[in-house]
């Protein structure tokens, strides 16, 4: 029995479906603030149940643990708007660190054997690239600080209470079903902007990332739940092998809209504290989780362009940030 928080989100929904395919009983939890019901496995399903619950509503999430007694927890729930985190620090901390501690505390109380935490490459901050798992945590924004603190808390709690853990650090995972949000997910921002005939806005010059196709990352995510001593107490990067500039990524998106000639691109100043180069090593994920790139990020871009074109231009999901006028 595996409980997955953030079950209706992009990565969480893929994990839920993947676990069901493997024959596990899955309990999905999500408050639907960022995810969508359409991402979930079709219900009723003999191996899947869903609870619309805010992880910070302690009594409600405790009922879910008590009713289902999960053996493993995937903690995917997160408000992942890193670039906006400096303009909503309280909300970021509430939906990341505090929600995580509620989940971990109840997992310990109900005897969970293992926690798989989906963290973030943001914990590396401004380390040199490629980021290696052995590098110190040096986050530079509230989102990264929250993720780093959550990792550290998980390590300490496991040492005290004796459960297994694996921390995954996915980076720039893209694919069908990713949320269309004004403050996160550059792939859907670019593609939806094109569909809406709005200029592409690129912050900073020469910024480099490595994008990951969810089709390549999913099996490694699923393998992380195995009760294997080789995976216990391991932090593992999972993601793309090929560094690419954000400008080149934008051009790859535009390639799938040949009718959009000479498309306008705005080169804006870099955002506060945004790391210029952020990409990670893959050796550990290849050795422990058998990560390999069968599809690659360009296929993911093509899939997303086809998917969003079929859906049509989407209204932006925009939330007012308390520290942004």
């Amino acid at each position: 029995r595996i409980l997955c928080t953030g079950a209706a989100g992009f990565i969480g929904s893929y994990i839920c479906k993947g676990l069901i395919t493997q024959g596990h009983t899955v309990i999905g939890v999500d408050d639907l603030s960022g995810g969508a019901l359409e991402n979930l496995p079709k219900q009723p399903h003999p191996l899947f149940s869903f609870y619309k619950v805010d992880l910070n509503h302690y009594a409600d999430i405790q009922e879910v643990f008590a009713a289902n007694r999960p053996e493993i927890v995937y903690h995917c729930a997160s408000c992942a708007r890193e670039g906006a985190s400096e303009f909503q620090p309280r909300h970021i901390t509430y939906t990341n660190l505090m929600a995580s501690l509620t989940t971990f505390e109840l997992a310990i109380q109900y005897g969970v054997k293992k926690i798989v935490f989906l963290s973030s490459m943001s914990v590396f901050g401004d380390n040199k690239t490629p980021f290696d798992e052995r590098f110190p945590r040096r986050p530079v924004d509230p989102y990264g600080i929250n993720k780093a603190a959550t990792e550290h808390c998980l390590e300490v709690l496991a040492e005290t209470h004796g459960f297994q853990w694996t921390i995954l650090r996915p980076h720039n995972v893209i694919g069908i079903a990713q949320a269309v949000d004004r403050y996160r997910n550059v792939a859907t921002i670019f593609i939806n902007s094109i569909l809406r005939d709005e200029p592409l806005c690129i912050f900073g010059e020469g910024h480099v990332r490595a994008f990951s196709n969810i089709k390549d990352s999913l099996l490694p995510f699923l393998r992380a739940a195995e009760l294997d001593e080789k995976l216990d107490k391991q932090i593992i990067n999972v993601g793309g092998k090929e560094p690419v500039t954000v400008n080149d990524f934008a051009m790859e998106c535009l390639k799938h809209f040949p009718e959009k000639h000479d498309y306008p691109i705005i080169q804006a100043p870099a955002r506060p504290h945004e790391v210029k180069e952020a990409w990670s090593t893959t050796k550990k994920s290849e050795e422990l989780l058998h990560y390999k790139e069968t599809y690659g990020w360009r296929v993911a871009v093509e899939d997303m362009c086809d998917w969003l074109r079929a859906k049509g231009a989407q209204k932006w999901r925009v939330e007012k940030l308390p520290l942004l006028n």
Side-chain angles (χ1 to χ4, degrees):
R1 295 181 305 280
I2 302 178
L3 185 146
C4 180
T5 70
F10 171 50
I11 293 178
S13 64
Y14 273 88
I15 287 175
C16 286
K17 292 172 184 174
L19 292 171
I20 290 168
T21 300
Q22 294 180 341
H24 300 288
T25 297
V26 180
I27 306 100
V29 174
D30 202 297
D31 67 359
L32 301 180
S33 61
L37 286 172
E38 66 185 40
N39 293 341
L40 294 169
K42 291 183 179 179
Q43 297 180 77
H45 194 292
L47 295 179
F48 181 74
S49 55
F50 175 69
Y51 296 83
K52 183 180 182 297
V53 176
D54 184 329
L55 291 179
N56 281 302
H57 294 174
Y58 195 95
D60 293 340
I61 189 64
Q62 185 173 30
E63 287 184 9
V64 177
F65 273 89
N68 294 279
R69 300 278 172 168
E71 298 161 284
I72 294 171
V73 167
Y74 268 92
H75 183 44
C76 306
S78 173
C79 178
R81 293 194 290 268
E82 181 179 4
S85 67
E86 292 172 78
F87 304 97
Q88 52 174 185
R90 190 181 71 85
H91 179 70
I92 285 292
T93 302
Y94 179 80
T95 54
N96 285 277
L97 179 58
M98 295 307 298
S100 298
L101 293 179
T102 300
T103 304
F104 298 164
E105 184 173 306
L106 288 167
I108 294 165
Q109 287 183 16
Y110 285 89
V112 164
K113 297 175 183 177
K114 180 171 186 176
I115 295 175
V116 180
F117 172 46
L118 272 79
S119 184
S120 166
M121 183 174 63
S122 64
V123 303
F124 288 113
D126 60 357
N127 272 290
K128 66 179 182 179
T129 52
F131 297 149
D132 186 281
E133 291 91 346
R134 294 167 295 185
F135 288 178
R137 301 177 181 110
R138 293 172 55 181
V140 296
D141 56 52
Y143 175 73
I145 291 167
N146 269 262
K147 286 293 190 180
T150 302
E151 287 188 4
H152 200 175
C153 286
L154 182 61
E155 293 166 348
V156 170
L157 291 171
E159 186 175 345
T160 302
H161 300 283
F163 58 88
Q164 290 191 32
W165 58 266
T166 301
I167 293 172
L168 303 177
R169 289 176 178 166
H171 48 278
N172 296 308
V173 186
I174 58 175
I176 292 171
Q178 192 159 48
V180 179
D181 188 307
R182 209 59 174 120
Y183 297 123
R184 60 172 176 156
N185 303 332
V186 68
T188 53
I189 289 173
F190 283 169
I191 298 167
N192 196 48
S193 294
I194 296 168
L195 290 169
R196 291 171 58 90
D197 289 319
E198 297 172 356
L200 301 188
C201 185
I202 298 175
F203 294 93
E205 294 187 19
H207 286 210
V208 177
R209 300 292 184 264
F211 295 91
S212 319
N213 191 325
I214 186 64
K215 294 178 180 178
D216 293 326
S217 297
L218 180 57
L219 278 178
F221 291 160
L222 300 179
R223 290 188 179 108
E226 295 174 7
L227 295 170
D228 184 339
E229 288 185 358
K230 292 180 181 178
L231 298 177
D232 188 26
K233 300 179 178 64
Q234 294 290 345
I235 298 175
I236 309 171
N237 299 328
V238 181
K241 298 163 67 75
E242 179 188 351
V244 57
T245 68
V246 176
N247 291 71
D248 286 343
F249 185 81
M251 297 309 296
E252 185 69 25
C253 294
L254 280 167
K255 187 176 80 174
H256 297 282
F257 297 88
E259 70 279 10
K260 306 278 188 176
H261 300 293
D262 299 319
Y263 203 80
I265 296 177
I266 298 172
Q267 198 74 45
R271 290 175 288 201
H273 299 109
E274 186 169 23
V275 175
K276 186 170 184 178
E277 293 200 15
W279 51 286
S280 298
T281 58
T282 59
K283 182 179 179 181
K284 195 170 182 180
S285 65
E286 292 166 349
E287 291 176 350
L288 294 180
L289 301 176
H290 313 301
Y291 175 81
K292 63 179 181 178
E293 289 196 346
T294 303
Y295 299 96
W297 67 271
R298 291 178 179 84
V299 171
V301 169
E302 182 177 6
D303 289 345
M304 295 179 75
C305 288
D306 291 342
W307 165 65
L308 280 171
R309 186 187 284 109
K311 287 173 69 73
Q314 300 293 297
K315 182 179 179 180
W316 291 116
R317 179 186 294 177
V318 179
E319 180 181 330
K320 182 172 174 56
L321 307 181
L323 301 182
L324 187 66
N325 294 325

